[in-house]
Amino acid sequence: MPRLHLHLLSDSTGETLEMIAKAALAQFEGAEVMRHFWPMVRSQQHLDRIMGEIASNPGVVFFTMVNAETRTRLEEHCRTLGLPIVPVLDSAVDALESALGQHPKARPGRQHAMDDAYFARVDAIHFTIAHDDGVGWEDWEEADIVLAGVSRSSKTPTSIYLANRGYKVANIPIVVESPPPPALFGLKHPLVVGLTTAPERLVQVRRNRLLSLNQAPETAYVDEDRVAKEVQYARRMFADNDWPVIDVTRRSIEEASAAIINLYNTFRGIREGAGQGGGA
């Protein structure tokens, strides 16, 4: 399969563009795509420099640009080079313009305005990074969600993804030889979620991790019987404490996070309902 160069140009941070490109590429399994990311393109001079790179690596161009002059210049360059160009938000904006009966505000990065939600998300990210891998257990009561699971069960990447969605997350490794702090079992505010995975899949992930670190891939860390007992120990802990469990064996980080968010929304609804009932 030939390699495709995909150029992503935005006059803002490009977060939206990256997510759209990732979602679209997920439909093409095995495709060899080289992504080139060009954020904060806000002048014609900057665009002209980038076009030299695009001309050297021709491919498909995705863009989100609200400045009419910069957009027109980009379109002209791509026509000259014979490159396909896709304004990824145009259809959505046109539909909303028609439905709302008003013109869109042409301001780069408008969707990323530094409002209260933005600062809450930054706060969540700081909290989550500071409470990774069992650190800072004294503050777990301040978390929205606490993830528990054996080593390499996707706790950290799932925590970071949830933090980017605005949730304060702590995570704790479940280790047979080192029980978690008692505070974990008395938490009131956060939802505790157990992450589990198939032992054979876990062995494969751990072995790949050791190889990436140039370490011997045959240790107790990847012993199949030992790993199976670890997973069983963790699942028993989850059941004993009535914590909901997410099996991440065949789930992507995004899918696992969506399931956790659904659990959290239900948990919060029940808690708020109980609080209202108590005040009646």
Side-chain angles (χ1 to χ4, degrees):
M1 182 177 293
R3 171 181 293 184
L4 170 69
H5 289 279
L6 176 61
H7 297 275
L8 309 175
L9 282 80
S10 173
D11 49 12
S12 183
T13 63
E15 293 177 27
T16 302
L17 186 58
E18 278 198 300
M19 286 190 292
I20 293 173
K22 183 177 180 180
L25 288 172
Q27 304 299 316
F28 300 91
E29 188 173 348
E32 186 178 0
V33 179
M34 179 70 69
R35 277 186 283 184
H36 306 268
F37 184 44
W38 312 101
M40 308 302 290
V41 183
R42 295 186 173 180
S43 71
Q44 294 189 13
Q45 292 79 7
H46 187 185
L47 176 62
D48 290 344
R49 290 196 299 272
I50 291 170
M51 289 310 303
E53 298 291 334
I54 294 177
S56 299
N57 298 285
V60 178
V61 178
F62 283 9
F63 76 92
T64 54
M65 284 189 175
V66 296
N67 182 277
E69 292 182 358
T70 308
R71 174 180 172 138
T72 298
R73 193 174 186 89
L74 171 62
E75 292 170 338
E76 290 174 350
H77 276 304
C78 289
R79 273 198 301 271
T80 300
L81 294 171
L83 300 180
I85 183 169
V86 182
V88 299
L89 289 180
D90 274 21
S91 295
V93 172
D94 290 346
L96 290 174
E97 180 179 4
S98 177
L100 296 172
Q102 66 181 72
H103 295 297
K105 299 290 185 180
R107 191 169 73 196
R110 183 176 174 82
Q111 71 273 30
H112 300 296
M114 294 177 68
D115 54 13
D116 290 343
Y118 171 85
F119 288 109
R121 189 165 68 249
V122 170
D123 189 35
I125 292 171
H126 287 166
F127 179 93
T128 300
I129 292 173
H131 295 82
D132 182 43
D133 205 33
V135 174
W137 59 266
E138 302 90 345
D139 304 323
W140 283 352
E141 198 63 50
E142 300 175 21
D144 297 310
I145 300 165
V146 174
L147 301 181
V150 299
S151 175
R152 312 312 299 177
S153 56
S154 302
K155 297 184 301 300
T156 295
T158 304
S159 295
I160 297 299
Y161 184 91
L162 289 167
N164 276 282
R165 297 289 301 273
Y167 299 92
K168 291 183 177 180
V169 185
N171 73 75
I172 173 72
I174 302 301
V175 182
V176 176
E177 299 82 4
S178 178
L184 176 64
F185 306 104
L187 295 173
K188 303 298 184 185
H189 176 265
L191 170 68
V192 181
V193 179
L195 300 184
T196 190
T197 187
E200 57 273 17
R201 171 61 176 161
L202 189 56
V203 168
Q204 180 184 0
V205 171
R206 289 183 176 184
R207 184 170 284 123
N208 289 340
R209 173 63 173 169
L210 291 175
L211 288 171
S212 72
L213 297 173
N214 293 320
Q215 296 181 10
E218 300 303 330
T219 67
Y221 186 60
V222 294
D223 179 80
E224 293 183 7
D225 290 338
R226 184 185 177 93
V227 170
K229 289 177 180 177
E230 278 187 69
V231 173
Q232 184 180 22
Y233 172 79
R235 291 192 69 100
R236 188 163 53 246
M237 181 183 296
F238 303 156
D240 289 346
N241 291 276
D242 200 26
W243 296 333
V245 177
I246 299 294
D247 189 332
V248 301
T249 305
R250 301 185 184 280
R251 278 189 167 110
S252 65
I253 299 301
E254 294 85 354
E255 290 169 333
S257 297
I260 292 168
I261 290 170
N262 285 336
L263 288 171
Y264 177 76
N265 289 337
T266 300
F267 169 77
R268 186 176 61 180
I270 293 173
R271 188 175 59 194
E272 291 174 354
Q276 292 171 357

